[in-house]
Each structure stands twice: as structure tokens, then as C-alpha cells.
Amino acid sequence: MTRLRAAWLTSEAAQTVMAALSVEGARVCFVGGCVRNALLGAPVSDLDIATNARPEAVMRLAEAAGLKTVPTGIDHGTVTVLAGGVPFEVTTFRRDVSTDGRRATVAFSDSLEEDALRRDFTMNALYVGPDGEIVDPVGGLADLAIRRFRFIGEADQRIREDYLRILRLFRFHAQYGDQAAGLDPAALAAVARNRAGLAAISRERIRAELAKLLLTPDPMPAIRAMEDTGVLEEVLPGAETTVLARLIDIEGDAPPRWIRRLAALGGGDRSETLRLSRVEARAADTLTAAEAGATDPAAVAYRAGADLGTDAALLALARGRDPGLDWPARVHRAASAVFPVAARDLSPTIPPGPALGEALRRLEARWIASDFSLERSDLLALAASVED
């Protein structure tokens, strides 16, 4: 395979950008995920371009062609060029000057081959020119043919340049790798040797990679490999894979939700360990509380919505608890249920204050326990009997 045929490559926007940047003879190629995914038949999102033109030249040439530019990462050689409303991330060829396991100090380069050598996996270092010709400086096509993610050059060196590449290995394998063949043995051995370096990576970056991994249709082969190499314990101390494996088996057509799958892994304070957003942290806490107290999924749905109610039910099943055969209907009914009693209904006999709030909470708990079947009149009668 020497040429790539893809609609995004031959689009007017892509050809306009590449033509504009090539006016003074610069080498201009698409690179990375867009090339890899196009060859694998997977969806393409980000359109990344690599060139030997310096950032200032990229901006000047693009603007001369009437294209808008944004210096999104100009210190590191990246300029966003907009054509037809489509963003193209254009980065000057680079070489690493120094690395510390988290970030690199780079220098611009005139060599595509030098640019390729600083990338992570061979499959991610495939380049394609305006005419679709593929340039493969590090043997990525052979690895792509068997869906194997292999580090470029010395695996240990690639990892020590950026320890996040450990998690990217597992995530890419889950997304695009040959699950039956497993991960590259040399890569796994290097990961096991270098896993402690993940402590230097920000928890936000780790969270982002783990979320992408858990959202793949079946992350279990990658997760088990993480467990075997000690990586899972590094990023999520106390995590265990048994419940997650059961959960994935029973999810069926339910869309994957990473917080649900994260809850199945267990572990300690995930909110702090992974720096979850407030919304994610609340969802994780809700599911943890539901599991600890065996809370009915319908009650979770009433408090937090149908998605979390479904999560609670699936997690209960994965942990060997029975939420009832009718749990889907109950969850969706509970999610839209509205408590039929308000403070004003009780205020004639209970003065505003803590006592009124407590009475409402007790009635709501009885209503939830009745599977939301008690009507307003029933609840008011209960309230009256308590007062008497």
C-alpha cells in the first residue's frame, strides 16, 4: 500500500491548506491519527499536518491564501489553520532536545525522518502527502497490517520521554489493536520496567487516557494487561478487574459509560486519584454509596437521573445482586417521578423550620420505599397520623 484514498484528504479544504503551505517549496504532509485511522477504516477526527515550514511561515503563507490562522501552540511549532470551517493543526517538524518524562524541550527540524523518530508508536508515524503518497520512515505499515502498537526505536527510551505513553499503549490497543494477538511483548516488558514513572504524570492526563480506554467497546484485554504489568495499581490503587469483566458481559446494548466502568474497578478515592470533575465526582460518589448500601436503582434514578439509575442496576448485577427483572421500567419511571407533597401542604400544622424539613424527608422516604406508588392523599394521611 503506497497511496491513501480518503475523502478528507481530497477535500477542497485539505487541498487548499496543503497548496497554500507548499507555495515556497515546503514539504507538507498529514500525519498521525488521521492517517492511521483512514488506513484502518476507523473514523477520522483531528487533521494534523507536519511540515518543515517554520510557524511564522505557516501563518504568512496561510493568510496570504485568505485562510485564518490561530497560534495555538506557536512556541512548540503548532498553528491552527482554518479552511472552510475545518481546523487543521499544522506543526513544524521537530526533534527532542531534552525530556523529563512529562514534557519535552524541542527544536525545529527540516527532516521528516527526524520528526518521525520522536513520535511514540510506529503506526502513529505514517505521513501522507497531497497526492496520497504514504511515507513510512519507521515501519508503521507492517505494524498497521497486523494491528500491533510497537514503540519506535528503544521502547524504554520512548516511555521515559513521556510516561503517559504507557497508558496510550493500552488505550490504542483497546481501540485499534488485534485483541486476539495481544500487546507487543517488548512494549509490555518496557512498560513493566518503567511503570513507576507514571507518578510524574498529572492526574488530569491520566484521567483523560483512562476515560478513553474505558469507553472502548471491550477494554478488558488492555485492562488485564495493565493489571499484569502493575500499571493498574499505579494509576488506581486497590482496583480489581473481576467485577468490570462481569459488567462488560452483562451491559449488552447499553452504551458504555466510563464512570460506571470505573466504579466497577473499585479502588480508593477515585475523585482525588484521578481529579474527576465535579459532575464525575458526584456520579462516582452516588454509585459508591448505592453499592455500599445496596440502594435500589430506582431510588438512584429518582435522585440522580436514569443514566445513574441504570449504572446502579448494572453494577448490582455485576456484583451478584438482583435489582429485579423489571428494573429498566422502574428506573425510567423513577427518573421522571415528582414528589407530590410540598412544604405548603404541611405548613398549616407544622411550623416552618427543621421539623417541617424532617417531616418532608420522612414522607419522601416512605414514598420512595413504596416504589413511588403512594399518592398525595396517602402521604398527607401518613403525615397526619404521625402528628396525632
Side-chain angles (χ1 to χ4, degrees):
M1 184 185 299
T2 58
R3 289 190 183 277
L4 172 65
R5 292 176 176 82
W8 58 263
L9 177 61
T10 57
S11 69
E12 182 179 354
Q15 291 296 312
T16 296
V17 172
M18 300 191 88
L21 302 184
S22 303
V23 164
E24 296 178 355
R27 189 170 191 181
V28 184
C29 297
F30 280 95
V31 66
C34 60
V35 180
R36 177 199 67 223
N37 284 17
L39 292 170
L40 289 172
V44 171
S45 53
D46 299 334
L47 297 173
D48 296 330
I49 291 174
T51 178
N52 58 344
R54 298 305 190 253
E56 296 78 7
V58 169
M59 296 184 72
R60 175 173 52 80
L61 291 167
E63 290 169 2
L67 303 174
K68 182 179 178 181
T69 64
V70 182
T72 43
I74 196 165
D75 291 342
H76 292 87
T78 301
V79 174
T80 299
V81 177
L82 296 168
V86 179
F88 296 83
E89 296 288 321
V90 183
T91 303
T92 301
F93 293 157
R94 299 177 292 181
R95 60 181 175 82
D96 289 339
V97 175
S98 64
T99 60
D100 63 4
R102 293 177 296 171
R103 62 183 68 86
T105 299
V106 299
F108 298 142
S109 172
D110 292 314
S111 168
L112 179 148
E113 289 73 19
E114 198 169 37
D115 185 72
L117 289 173
R118 69 174 299 276
R119 296 178 180 270
D120 49 11
F121 306 105
T122 59
M123 207 188 298
N124 290 344
L126 294 168
Y127 299 73
V128 61
D131 60 355
E133 183 178 0
I134 297 170
V135 181
D136 179 16
V138 292
L141 284 175
D143 288 322
L144 183 139
I146 58 174
R147 292 178 177 255
R148 174 183 62 185
F149 282 89
R150 182 170 59 87
F151 285 107
I152 294 169
E154 292 293 328
D156 292 271
Q157 182 180 344
R158 293 287 81 75
I159 291 172
R160 290 167 188 164
E161 289 166 353
D162 183 354
Y163 288 103
L164 191 68
R165 287 172 172 172
I166 290 174
L167 296 185
R168 284 168 62 84
L169 171 69
F170 295 112
R171 192 252 294 180
F172 281 136
H173 177 74
Q175 287 178 316
Y176 310 115
D178 183 335
Q179 304 304 305
L183 287 99
D184 178 48
L188 285 177
V191 160
R193 288 191 293 268
N194 293 281
R195 65 183 184 274
L198 284 164
I201 300 299
S202 75
R203 282 170 275 190
E204 291 83 356
R205 294 179 76 198
I206 290 173
R207 172 226 166 272
E209 284 298 326
L210 190 57
K212 291 175 184 176
L213 168 57
L214 288 175
L215 282 170
T216 60
D218 183 8
M220 281 313 303
I223 292 288
R224 286 197 177 101
M226 288 174 64
E227 187 176 42
D228 292 343
T229 54
V231 169
L232 187 60
E233 182 67 19
E234 288 287 343
V235 297
L236 202 60
E240 200 273 331
T241 61
T242 303
V243 175
L244 177 61
R246 292 179 191 148
L247 174 67
I248 290 170
D249 284 342
I250 67 173
E251 280 179 336
D253 295 331
R257 280 169 47 85
W258 94 274
I259 286 292
R260 176 174 69 222
R261 290 178 170 185
L262 180 66
L265 280 172
D269 184 357
R270 297 175 293 257
S271 299
E272 179 60 25
T273 302
L274 298 176
R275 292 284 170 83
L276 302 180
S277 70
R278 289 182 181 179
V279 171
E280 292 168 338
R282 283 197 297 270
D285 290 345
T286 296
L287 292 176
T288 298
E291 290 189 274
T295 305
D296 186 86
V300 175
Y302 168 66
R303 299 288 188 191
D307 285 342
L308 280 175
T310 298
D311 292 344
L314 293 173
L315 284 166
L317 287 166
R319 294 188 184 277
R321 296 199 295 266
D322 183 8
L325 292 175
D326 62 341
W327 71 259
R330 292 178 58 244
V331 160
H332 286 282
R333 185 171 67 249
S336 60
V338 178
F339 184 45
V341 176
R344 64 178 176 272
D345 297 319
L346 304 183
S347 58
T349 56
I350 305 177
L356 178 58
E358 181 59 29
L360 283 169
R361 282 190 289 273
R362 286 198 304 267
L363 283 179
E364 187 180 42
R366 291 288 298 271
W367 178 65
I368 293 172
S370 75
D371 203 16
F372 312 97
S373 64
L374 289 175
E375 297 182 354
R376 182 173 179 275
S377 58
D378 301 322
L379 294 167
L380 292 178
L382 281 171
S385 67
V386 170
E387 292 165 27
D388 295 340

